Structures are given as C-alpha cells and as structure tokens.
C-alpha cells in the first residue's frame, strides 16, 4: 500500500544528556534519525518529509546522506506546529496515507509499519500502542504511595500514527488555538475519528534519557540484517589502446570488447550488489540490446545498484574485487581503483578491496584472449 511519512526531528533534546539533539546522535554506528528513514523507505514510503528545528536542515542532510525520496522542512515552536508544517509540504491527494513518526523512536520495523497499513483498510486512523503491563502507583508527594491507579483499558501511545492526509489536515485545522496536543491521535479523537489501537513494539520506546541509548544499542543489533552477493564477469580483448577497470582508465596495447565500456570489475561488482538484494543481474537492468548502454560508462550501472539498495534502506558494508588477467599490471592502479569504487559505493576506502591474480598462463585469461573479474559485496538492510 502506498504511503508517505512525516518524521518529526525538531527537538533540541535537552533531557538526553550531552552530545546535542538526540535525533542527530549516533545509535549503533548510524544517526538516530536515519534508522527511521531507512525503515520507512524499505517499507515503500514514496515521499518522506523530515521536520527539523529551523536552521537544522543541514544536520538532516548530513545524517541522511545517500538516502532517496526525502526532504527537510523547518518545524515550528511546538510539535503540533512542526507536524503541521510537514503535512503542508506533503504532496498527495486527500485520500493518500500519511504516517507521522518521531525520529526519537529509531527501532521501527517492517512488521510494525505493515500492521498500521493493514489497520487503515478498515479504520480512518491507527496508531501503534502497548497495553500497560505495570501496576500504576500514585505518589503522595513525599516519596511514598498514596494509592494504586486502575490500569484497565490504558495504553501507551507510540508512533508511527497513520491517517488519511485530508482527514489529518482537517483535524489540525479544527484544533483550538493555544492548546498543544502531544500526538496526532489526540487531534483525530477530538475530531470524532475512530482511531484503531495496533500492537506496538517495546523496542520503539522513545529515546529520552541517556540510559535509553544504552538500551537501544543492545536492541539495535537485531534490527538490521546482513546479506552477501557475488558477481563474475569476463570481456574479450580487442583492438585499442587502453581498458577501463574498476572505473579507472589504464593504458594497454589492447582494448576490451563489450556493449558498454566493458569494465568487467564494475560489472562483477554491480552483479554482487544486485545479488545481495535479489534484484536479478546487470543484464535485466541494462539489456545489451538497448542502444542507450552502447559504450556507456559502467559507473552508472554500479550507481543504479547502490541506489536500489539505498531505496530499501540499505547500504554497502564492504566489497572485495579480484581481477584475473596476465596484463595489464593491476598493482600500480589498485589504490585509484579502491578510491573510485569507494566513491561509487558510498563507503570508506577501507571497506573496499581490489586484488589481482593471473591464471599462470592457463585458460582464456592466461592466453590473454580477455580478462575476468569476480566480486563479493556485503550489504546491510533493515531486518
Ligand atoms: Mg560485462
């Protein structure tokens, strides 16, 4: 089901301790806000508006670098005003679905998003929530119990909260000036909307205090999954004065024959990434029969695979390429290749390896009829 999202990242985070606003801080190696964006994108969000404090859009750009289908807008003085600004920036008709989510709840999962979307098939609004499990005590103001409160029928509201765009905008318009709702469901309830309670997730607890980060770090490991793909490619030598390998031009007494620039290194690596996400192979995405790819620079093939991965909330962890040829000599170009691949893969250079071997004169590579490349890539995706 198609949906868009507003992610509220406008807090200044005074309670979460030193280190700045919590949505820009790091949780298990990635910015807090990035976790939510990756989960929403992986679930198919077509458009995500990230609402930041005025002037903090640069923080968002840094934290969300490389991710598609999002933009930042400035928030207002209250959460409600921030959400309102986010909704105003969304495109889509009145019936389109919007999920409103707190960036401070980073451990969002695909099943949680799916539960909300399913609930919206029969209810005009739906939120993630958990029934209260603990007994509730009221204090006497002096550190002792004054009484026990009835917890029956009480739920803890989480986010995302899901609505039809038109109905949520109308609920905001009807809210009395000066009152500050703490979530979108309050507005919808007041407007008389039926809002379904959908099973939430304890891991979605809001990061509020410094100790919440420690708890979330422990839970974060199970929120991501690692996958591996491999690729192989070979091209024939032909007339020419140089070859492209791993995105680097190398002078040689032959060229390589192929429909594109015949960069076997980039082709093998593209296939490795497509393999890791089950997206077929390079020929499915760039058919050799298509004149658009004639003599094309192969970096666009790899970029396409990396963008498909990013669109699912994933990223490359590392890549290892082996080039198989007698000549040209690879070693002098190895560092340039690593640097170019790292740029294309959006990883540090240390995450990219390029190796070379001969086949000791055996086979097509040994007879210098052509060269080959194989590649392995590990990627990380929302679980
Ligand atoms: Mg090829």
């Amino acid at each position: 089901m198609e949906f868009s999202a507003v992610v509220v990242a406008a807090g200044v985070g005074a309670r979460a301790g030193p280190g700045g606003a919590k949505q820009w801080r790091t949780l298990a190696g990635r910015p807090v806000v990035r976790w939510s964006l990756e989960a929403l994108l992986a679930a198919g969000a077509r458009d995500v508006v990230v609402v930041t404090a005025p002037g903090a859009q640069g923080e968002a750009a840094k934290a969300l670098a490389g991710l598609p289908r999002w933009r930042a807008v400035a928030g207002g003085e209250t959460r409600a005003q921030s959400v309102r600004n986010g909704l105003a920036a969304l495109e889509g008709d009145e019936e389109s679905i919007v999920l409103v989510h707190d960036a401070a709840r980073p451990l969002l999962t695909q099943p949680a998003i799916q539960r909300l979307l399913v609930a919206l098939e029969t209810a005009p609004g739906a939120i993630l929530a958990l029934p209260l499990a603990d007994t509730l005590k009221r204090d006497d103001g002096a550190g002792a119990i004054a009484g026990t409160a009835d917890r029956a029928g009480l739920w803890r509201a989480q986010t995302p909260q899901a609505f039809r765009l038109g109905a949520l905008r109308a609920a905001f318009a009807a809210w009395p000036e000066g009152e500050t709702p703490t979530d979108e469901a309050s507005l919808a309830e007041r407007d008389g909307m039926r809002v379904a309670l959908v099973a939430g997730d304890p891991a979605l607890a809001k990061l509020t205090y410094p100790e919440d980060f420690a708890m979330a770090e422990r839970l974060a490991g199970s929120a991501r999954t690692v996958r591996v793909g491999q690729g192989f490619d070979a091209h024939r030598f032909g007339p020419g004065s140089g070859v492209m390998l791993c995105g680097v031009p190398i002078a040689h007494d032959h060229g390589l024959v192929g429909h594109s620039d015949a960069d076997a290194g980039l082709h093998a690596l593209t296939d490795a990434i497509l393999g890791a996400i089950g997206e077929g192979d390079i020929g499915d995405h760039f058919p050799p029969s298509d004149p658009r790819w004639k003599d094309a620079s192969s970096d666009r093939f790899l970029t396409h695979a990396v963008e498909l991965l990013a669109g699912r909330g994933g990223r490359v962890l590392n890549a290892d390429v082996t080039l198989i040829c007698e000549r040209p000599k690879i070693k002098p170009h190895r560092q340039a290749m690593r640097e170019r691949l790292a740029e294309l893969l959006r990883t540090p250079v240390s995450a990219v390896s390029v190796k070379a071997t001969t086949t000791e004169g055996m086979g097509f590579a040994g007879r210098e009829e052509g060269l080959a490349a194989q590649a392995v890539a590990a990627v990380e995706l929302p679980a």
Side-chain angles (χ1 to χ4, degrees):
M1 201 186 296
E2 204 169 75
F3 69 96
S4 44
V6 171
V7 173
V8 187
V12 290
R15 280 178 298 180
K22 56 199 167 193
Q23 63 270 24
W24 314 131
R25 283 162 61 181
T26 300
L27 174 70
R30 52 213 308 115
V32 165
V33 65
R34 193 176 178 99
W35 286 84
S36 297
L37 262 284
E38 289 176 341
L40 289 163
L41 292 170
R46 65 178 164 84
D47 184 21
V48 183
V49 170
V50 178
V51 189
T52 71
Q57 285 97 321
E59 297 279 357
K62 212 162 57 180
L64 301 173
L67 296 182
R69 308 198 298 278
W70 71 273
R71 62 220 141 84
V73 303
E77 288 192 354
T78 61
R79 179 199 153 83
Q81 190 53 51
S82 292
V83 174
R84 204 170 198 161
N85 292 2
L87 293 176
L90 275 186
E91 284 154 25
D93 61 55
E94 301 282 282
E95 283 304 301
S96 64
I97 292 170
V98 56
L99 268 55
V100 180
H101 182 57
D102 290 329
R105 302 179 188 274
L107 299 183
L108 181 58
T109 63
Q110 305 305 303
I113 293 170
Q114 291 310 322
R115 288 198 294 276
L116 272 178
L117 294 176
V118 167
L120 270 206
E121 288 172 6
T122 52
I127 72 166
L128 294 181
L130 290 172
L132 282 179
D134 301 322
T135 302
L136 293 181
K137 299 297 182 190
R138 189 174 296 111
D139 71 57
D140 64 358
I145 294 173
T148 299
D150 184 8
R151 71 172 182 221
L154 292 183
W155 295 66
R156 291 192 285 146
Q158 299 184 317
T159 72
Q161 304 195 345
F163 306 90
R164 303 278 167 182
L165 183 55
L168 187 56
R169 280 181 179 153
F172 265 97
W175 187 264
E177 202 64 44
E179 290 183 32
T180 51
T182 54
D183 72 349
E184 289 56 60
S186 318
L187 297 160
E189 297 152 27
R190 177 125 170 189
D191 213 33
M193 189 191 295
R194 179 170 183 273
V195 182
L197 289 163
V198 174
D201 185 346
L204 261 181
K206 196 170 187 171
L207 298 178
T208 306
Y209 302 104
E211 56 271 29
D212 297 339
F213 271 83
M215 173 69 86
E217 289 273 351
R218 288 198 290 277
L219 294 171
S222 58
R224 307 283 299 180
T225 187
V226 172
R227 295 169 70 167
V228 172
Q230 65 93 31
F232 175 84
D233 194 35
H235 281 272
R236 183 182 290 278
F237 284 124
S241 57
V243 300
M244 278 299 275
L245 278 176
C246 295
V248 173
I250 298 174
H252 190 49
D253 52 17
H254 283 88
L256 284 171
V257 182
H259 185 64
S260 64
D261 65 6
D263 188 329
L266 288 187
H267 296 180
L269 191 48
T270 301
D271 265 355
I273 291 169
L274 293 174
I277 57 174
E279 270 284 356
D281 64 26
I282 196 170
D284 295 332
H285 295 266
F286 302 97
S289 54
D290 189 330
R292 275 183 301 168
W293 317 128
K294 173 114 184 72
D295 301 324
S297 170
S298 296
D299 49 11
R300 73 166 65 183
F301 305 153
L302 185 57
T303 296
H304 174 73
V306 170
E307 278 169 2
L308 278 179
L309 172 64
R312 295 179 177 199
R315 62 171 182 146
V316 174
L317 291 175
N318 78 303
D320 187 13
V321 180
T322 302
L323 299 171
I324 304 160
C325 59
E326 302 289 330
R327 293 184 313 127
K329 286 279 166 253
I330 301 302
K331 204 169 179 180
H333 307 284
R334 208 152 70 174
Q335 189 57 19
M337 289 175 174
R338 292 178 71 205
E339 284 166 13
R340 179 64 183 139
L341 293 180
E343 203 178 320
L344 293 169
L345 295 171
R346 304 169 188 173
T347 64
V349 177
S350 60
V352 180
S353 154
V354 175
K355 312 199 292 317
T357 186
T358 70
T359 54
E360 310 241 322
M362 298 177 288
F364 68 86
R367 294 187 297 270
E368 298 194 46
E369 293 165 13
L371 57 72
Q374 52 190 39
V376 176
V379 307
E380 185 199 48
L381 291 160

